[in-house]
Amino acid sequence: MKKILVWSIYTRVFHLLAMVLMLSLYLSSDEDRWLSIHASLGYAIGVLFLGRIVWGFLDIPYSKFKDFSFKIADLKTYMLSVFGAKKSYIGHNPASSYAIVGMMVLLFLSIVTGALAYGAQEGMGIASFLNHTWFAKMKLFKEVHEFFANALMFLIFAHIAGALLDRLLHSKLILRSMVDGYKEGEGASVSLNFFQKIFGFFWLGATITTLIYLLASPNALLLADNNPRVDYAKVHPAFAKECGSCHMLYPPFLLPKASWDEMMASLDDHFGDDASLETVTMQSIKAFLDDNSAEHSTKESAVYMLSRLKNDTMPNSITQTSFWKKRHHGIEKVALNDPKIGKTSNCKACHPMIEQGSINDRDIKG
């Protein structure tokens, strides 16, 4: 047997980009503040795999889908001979053929459901129209997205494990071929024509360009924050004046109606101060708070806060909600040690747009 070039430079760069992007996607999924970065990576890898699909129809030896082996009998024979002598494949063996197609399908489903979750729960991106009361209590999009994403990661690890096992048991040059493109076997080396080279260049270039553009353009259509900013001074002047004169303005959706009612009924002892108002003004502000309380909001924080209230107990402050405590675990120590924060109720130290009704994860400071 001789060494032949099986994977062109474009295929090898594709594999490298896919690994880097998938690793970055996995790491960025743990931090809420990295959600826009996570979405940017998702769209970029979507462009990468879309190009790979086209690449599979360009009559490129060993990479075209026509060369994949999808016969069940071949897959069965291949799997049963893993630990013994087995047929050698220059291109994709039956197991990797199914794995690659499976990864493409799962990636597509992950991107679609990710975009839906980004819109429905965050009010961002092209599916932001789904951020509606109909979907306010639904975690379906996020849960389905996580299911497909986890299935994709499992298949990727299985694919890598298969390559490592083949290297261990049969000393094949599979792993090295991902770097230099060469395998041992019979056949001709891959050779690309001018059109295939041009497409490969633009395909990989488009992936990198998409990623850079989205990371640098948070207001791009795919990532845009479509949650409206609220000018409370115009929407309800009395609320902005009376409440904002003593402390920052807390958006009404951060507490349920019962909490606002209890608070407005005890203004003579408002966290140790007398904040009594004229009856007409008090009733006007109370009505505004009730109409815009957590029950009437599709904001993620409002939905999650309501879902975690236990035994219908109503907190009399935002920092007493179980949702706030879980999301801000350890913030007390940070606040006390940072003079820019000072106290846990100083939300705008980390959420600069909170007084305009926006506490998006990607806007978090610090």
Side-chain angles (χ1 to χ4, degrees):
M1 291 189 294
K2 60 180 181 179
K3 289 181 65 176
I4 59 175
L5 181 64
V6 175
W7 311 125
S8 69
I9 184 62
Y10 302 102
T11 301
R12 284 175 277 153
V13 173
F14 159 75
H15 279 108
L16 176 62
L17 284 175
M19 288 189 293
V20 171
L21 290 175
M22 283 305 306
L23 178 61
S24 300
L25 276 166
Y26 177 76
L27 295 176
S28 63
S29 65
D30 286 337
E31 285 285 343
D32 289 333
R33 71 179 68 185
W34 296 344
L35 191 56
S36 291
I37 295 176
H38 184 73
S40 300
L41 291 164
Y43 285 121
I45 201 169
V47 173
L48 181 67
F49 272 79
L50 180 62
R52 175 61 183 88
I53 292 174
V54 177
W55 190 252
F57 290 101
L58 293 185
D59 198 31
I60 299 170
Y62 315 116
S63 292
K64 60 185 177 181
F65 295 129
K66 286 185 178 180
D67 288 343
F68 283 28
S69 178
F70 294 113
K71 294 181 179 180
I72 299 298
D74 290 345
L75 177 63
K76 181 179 179 181
T77 300
Y78 180 83
M79 297 303 293
L80 291 175
S81 61
V82 167
F83 296 98
K86 62 179 182 179
K87 180 181 178 180
S88 178
Y89 291 85
I90 298 298
H92 296 286
N93 60 56
S96 63
S97 296
Y98 276 99
I100 291 172
V101 173
M103 284 188 282
M104 290 180 176
V105 172
L106 288 172
L107 180 67
F108 171 76
L109 294 173
S110 296
I111 293 173
V112 171
T113 54
L116 292 175
Y118 194 51
Q121 295 191 244
E122 302 289 337
M124 305 176 80
I126 56 176
S128 59
F129 64 91
L130 293 176
N131 185 238
H132 191 278
T133 52
W134 293 343
F135 300 100
K137 296 182 180 180
M138 291 180 63
K139 296 181 180 180
L140 177 63
F141 295 125
K142 182 178 180 180
E143 292 173 349
V144 172
H145 171 65
E146 291 178 348
F147 171 80
F148 286 128
N150 289 332
L152 174 61
M153 293 303 299
F154 173 80
L155 193 55
I156 289 173
F157 283 124
H159 184 55
I160 294 174
L164 292 173
L165 183 64
D166 205 41
R167 174 67 179 84
L168 179 65
L169 297 178
H170 304 285
S171 298
K172 300 294 183 180
L173 299 178
I174 292 179
L175 297 180
R176 184 190 296 180
S177 70
M178 293 295 100
V179 178
D180 62 15
Y182 286 92
K183 283 187 175 183
E184 291 182 348
E186 299 296 332
S189 292
V190 64
S191 178
L192 304 181
N193 59 40
F194 178 76
F195 173 76
Q196 292 165 342
K197 292 178 181 178
I198 291 295
F199 176 81
F201 176 81
F202 280 102
W203 159 35
L204 301 175
T207 300
I208 297 172
T209 300
T210 298
L211 179 60
I212 294 174
Y213 170 72
L214 291 177
L215 290 176
S217 307
N219 293 320
L221 178 63
L222 296 175
L223 305 174
D225 179 2
N226 292 307
N227 294 287
R229 302 288 190 266
V230 181
D231 186 347
Y232 289 112
K234 292 183 178 180
V235 174
H236 199 284
F239 166 70
K241 177 183 177 182
E242 300 298 342
C243 299
S245 62
C246 297
H247 52 71
M248 61 163 281
L249 283 176
Y250 295 97
F253 62 80
L254 290 177
L255 281 176
K257 178 181 180 297
S259 294
W260 289 124
D261 288 349
E262 181 180 345
M263 190 181 300
M264 294 304 293
S266 58
L267 289 177
D268 57 335
D269 185 16
H270 188 64
F271 299 100
D273 294 323
D274 185 353
S276 299
L277 298 171
E278 293 181 359
T279 301
V280 174
T281 302
M282 184 275 292
Q283 291 177 344
S284 176
I285 294 176
K286 176 180 177 297
F288 174 73
L289 293 172
D290 288 349
D291 290 342
N292 294 277
S293 62
E295 290 92 338
H296 302 288
S297 176
T298 59
K299 298 285 188 180
E300 182 182 26
S301 53
V303 175
Y304 284 178
M305 183 271 293
L306 285 175
S307 68
R308 291 174 183 172
L309 289 179
K310 297 180 180 179
N311 301 321
D312 296 324
T313 57
M314 292 300 164
N316 60 15
S317 71
I318 297 166
T319 54
Q320 288 184 352
T321 63
S322 59
F323 168 71
W324 188 94
K325 291 178 180 179
K326 182 176 181 179
R327 292 292 292 266
H328 297 81
H329 179 69
I331 193 65
E332 294 88 351
K333 183 177 180 180
V334 175
L336 291 174
N337 293 330
D338 190 341
K340 293 181 180 179
I341 301 177
K343 52 186 178 180
T344 55
S345 59
N346 183 21
C347 303
K348 63 181 180 181
C350 298
H351 302 281
M353 302 299 293
I354 191 171
E355 292 186 294
Q356 287 77 50
S358 176
I359 52 174
N360 291 333
D361 296 325
R362 76 179 187 185
D363 295 331
I364 296 175
K365 294 172 59 178

